[in-house]
Amino acid sequence: MTNLVVLSYGSPKEYRRAVLAVLSFFSFYDAQAARPEVKVIIYTDRSDYFEQFLGDVPVQYVILTPEQQTAMMGTVGYRHRIKAVVVGDTLVQHPQDNLLFFDSDTFFIKHPGPLLASIRPGVDVMHTVEFTFNDIATQPLPHDKTVADFVRMMEQEPFQTTRGAERFSGTQQCWNSGVLGLAPSVAAYLPDVYQLIDHLYAHSHWHIIEQIAFSLVLQTRDQILPAIDYVYHYWEGDKKVAADALLTEVIDARFAALPYPEKLAQVRQLVGRLPAAIPAYLAAHREIGLKQDAITAFNADHFWPAYRAALAYLLKVPADRKFLKDVLYHTKRRLTRRG
């Protein structure tokens, strides 16, 4: 048995993405009569949303209350820590089963049978290699730090893990964790993943610490294989905006009422189009990229590039009051820092 695990909470946009992710798997997987057994586990705050679309899919829902979400973020208050806890919870609750976790902003583009077959003790799956730490040493991090500062912290301070004192290196790779394929044996590594998340986030506030922790732990214990040939991951903010606009036109009440085979057929066609349709949508709506550039620059404390992009965006979309409030928030934050 392989448990297909999805975490989706907070907004209809998130839920709609997750519906596509799950149905895209089955749009390929149902193509073969003989197949390994799978079950979907969705961690969410709104099972009723999914039930209208996934009534024909074997789904177990795990409801996350706001209090549980806060607890999962730990003492460091890191939102993406919830994902690591969900992965760990599934491995503990289903100790005989493999796990294939995929982010809601993913969809399958190929039959996943070989991907499932590759997951075994000692061999894990992640989406793809993003970078080697030393190769992006000058990239800025919050609080006027850079990746070079992060690497020095990793290399100089030993971490007490289940293997004893352990050091990590800037020559190691960071994998994207949009996909995580894990055998039950990985449950033994989860305490180290949680500890690294808490320690590294407290000392850096780098928003991708969750995938860094998984990358460091898994590559020092197992072999990691890429899933990029099987899964398209639109994690970038502007691509999410484009995908959301395109999905709104398809995954609606009319789609929910379709017979299950017709849903799968439509999804199969949709995932064939989306890798080209997403960049085409962005090319036709340049304001999306400008807004994302401003947000990215503000979050990295690059204020003047942020203001330039924000101004260019607001000239195109002057009615976006929420974005204007965000600009004012970051301006206040900048003035507070200078004071």
Side-chain angles (χ1 to χ4, degrees):
M1 169 76 80
T2 298
N3 291 311
L4 311 177
V5 182
V6 178
L7 170 64
S8 181
Y9 64 98
S11 74
K13 290 187 294 186
E14 276 286 328
Y15 309 144
R16 194 178 296 113
R17 296 171 196 160
V19 167
L20 174 68
V22 171
L23 289 179
S24 71
F25 178 94
F26 287 100
S27 75
F28 289 97
Y29 200 64
D30 277 8
Q32 290 186 353
R35 56 186 188 269
E37 190 176 2
V38 298
K39 180 176 68 177
V40 180
I41 304 176
I42 299 180
Y43 288 76
T44 184
D45 54 353
R46 282 284 309 275
S47 61
D48 59 309
Y49 184 95
F50 292 98
E51 287 165 353
Q52 63 181 317
F53 296 104
L54 304 179
D56 296 285
V57 178
V59 180
Q60 172 187 341
Y61 294 100
V62 180
I63 303 301
L64 297 179
T65 66
E67 295 76 18
Q68 287 172 316
Q69 295 168 34
T70 299
M72 288 176 167
M73 289 191 286
T75 57
V76 292
Y78 173 52
R79 183 169 65 88
H80 297 306
R81 191 180 187 275
I82 296 175
K83 175 175 166 179
V85 175
V86 162
V87 168
D89 180 69
T90 305
L91 289 173
V92 170
Q93 297 298 324
H94 305 273
Q96 305 302 316
D97 300 340
N98 283 352
L99 173 149
L100 183 66
F101 178 100
F102 43 94
D103 281 347
S104 59
D105 53 1
T106 65
F107 54 82
F108 286 82
I109 55 176
K110 191 175 181 181
H111 195 289
L115 185 67
L116 296 181
S118 68
I119 302 168
R120 57 190 184 275
V123 180
D124 311 314
V125 168
M126 297 186 74
H127 184 241
T128 190
V129 173
E130 283 198 1
F131 55 81
T132 298
F133 293 97
N134 283 344
D135 290 343
I136 60 163
T138 60
Q139 178 178 306
L141 295 179
H143 307 304
D144 297 320
K145 294 184 179 180
T146 66
V147 174
D149 297 313
F150 182 85
V151 169
R152 277 192 290 274
M153 182 262 294
M154 278 204 310
E155 293 182 339
Q156 292 173 5
E157 299 180 14
F159 298 91
Q160 291 300 320
T161 70
T162 55
R163 300 171 61 164
E166 190 170 3
R167 276 189 169 87
F168 300 101
S169 166
T171 62
Q172 290 176 296
Q173 295 174 321
C174 178
W175 287 69
N176 184 286
S177 64
V179 179
L180 283 165
L182 308 173
S185 55
V186 173
Y189 311 160
L190 266 297
D192 294 338
V193 172
Y194 300 150
Q195 176 177 291
L196 279 178
I197 287 174
D198 294 344
H199 182 86
L200 296 176
Y201 187 76
H203 286 78
S204 70
H205 288 85
W206 197 353
H207 70 283
I208 62 168
I209 284 298
E210 164 266 321
Q211 74 177 27
I212 290 173
F214 270 113
S215 297
L216 292 174
V217 169
L218 294 181
Q219 72 188 276
T220 52
R221 288 143 175 81
D222 293 342
Q223 177 187 4
I224 305 177
L225 299 178
I228 193 170
D229 289 340
Y230 297 88
V231 177
Y232 184 95
H233 187 197
Y234 53 101
W235 58 268
E236 302 95 326
D238 55 349
K239 286 186 177 181
K240 284 185 179 180
V241 174
D244 289 339
L246 295 167
L247 294 185
T248 301
E249 299 173 356
V250 178
I251 300 178
D252 54 14
R254 179 204 57 81
F255 179 82
L258 291 175
Y260 182 57
E262 291 186 32
K263 285 179 185 172
L264 296 184
Q266 288 203 11
V267 166
R268 182 72 172 269
Q269 292 179 350
L270 180 61
V271 299
R273 297 195 309 267
L274 280 176
I278 289 172
Y281 188 92
L282 290 174
H285 298 81
R286 289 191 60 250
E287 68 276 6
I288 296 174
L290 291 170
K291 183 176 182 178
Q292 186 59 39
D293 288 346
I295 292 170
T296 301
F298 275 128
N299 289 337
D301 294 341
H302 291 173
F303 290 101
W304 291 118
Y307 286 128
R308 284 196 296 271
L311 177 60
Y313 170 75
L314 288 170
L315 288 173
K316 289 179 174 290
V317 191
D320 191 341
R321 295 191 176 186
K322 182 180 182 302
F323 179 72
L324 183 57
K325 288 181 180 179
D326 290 341
V327 173
L328 294 174
Y329 162 78
H330 285 291
T331 300
K332 182 178 179 181
R333 185 171 63 82
R334 176 173 179 262
L335 293 174
T336 301
R337 287 183 55 189
R338 291 178 64 182

